[in-house]
Amino acid sequence: MVQIAPSILSADFTRIAEAVQWVEEAGADVLHVDIMDGHFVPNLTFGPQLVTALRDSTSLPIDVHLMVENPRDFVPSFQEAGADWISIHIEATAHLHKDVTHIKELGCKAGLALNPATPIHLMNEIIRELDFILLMTVNPGWGGQELIAAMLPKIAQLKSWISGQKLDTLIEVDGGVKFENMQDFVKSGADVLVMGSGIFKRPDPKAEMIRIKQELSRLTDDS
């Protein structure tokens, strides 16, 4: 079953606790938290304190996406704060094996994130060490962007590669995912859909989350 990871970057910051409760009650699988440092990407978002607060208020796995320079320096503090999944950008480090190993040694699922223009073959030497791969389907840094359509074939290409190597690595996708196009992501081979504005910018986020889960169930039954 395809998993849904609501991204709190798009939630009402004055009602984050309620937003988390809504999506958890409606069947969310993972909670996605975007961490931006204002250097690797132009935006600046949250720190470990938010993850600590989320950990105290939800039983969902917390998926921390580090859009930062020198990501290895950030990993321990987010693990200590309660992150279950941590992804770093391939473009942000020269020591992939060391950094991925570090995440796993701390007991977290380790992921590698790729910007839209980054080719997947650059993961050739590390893919067997990864629990998941996060494909950005928009340019990172801001929520609410439209999907770059050329990323759908990239998802399918990665899925074929993973299947050919008989790996269990999950494909997570982030950027422009919403009810109206999520079928395209699922057909391309995505396993985890990060959805921000596609949930939290709707009039009733909880109802939208329920509708999404019902549609995913139908898509799975049809396949």
Side-chain angles (χ1 to χ4, degrees), residues 206-219:
K206 184 174 182 179
E208 185 67 10
M209 183 75 225
I210 292 171
R211 183 169 79 124
I212 288 165
K213 293 291 287 189
Q214 289 174 340
E215 178 65 8
L216 281 177
S217 179
R218 185 191 69 78
L219 291 173

Side-chain angles (χ1 to χ4, degrees), residues 132-177:
F132 66 103
I133 295 163
L134 173 55
L135 291 183
M136 295 302 301
T137 47
V138 299
N139 290 300
W142 303 98
Q145 299 182 63
E146 290 296 318
L147 161 71
I148 299 173
M151 295 302 101
L152 293 174
K154 186 177 183 179
I155 298 168
Q157 181 185 8
L158 179 57
K159 189 70 170 186
S160 177
W161 185 19
I162 290 171
S163 298
Q165 296 198 49
K166 297 181 169 57
L167 301 176
D168 296 323
T169 314
L170 297 176
I171 299 175
E172 184 175 22
V173 294
D174 183 0
V177 188

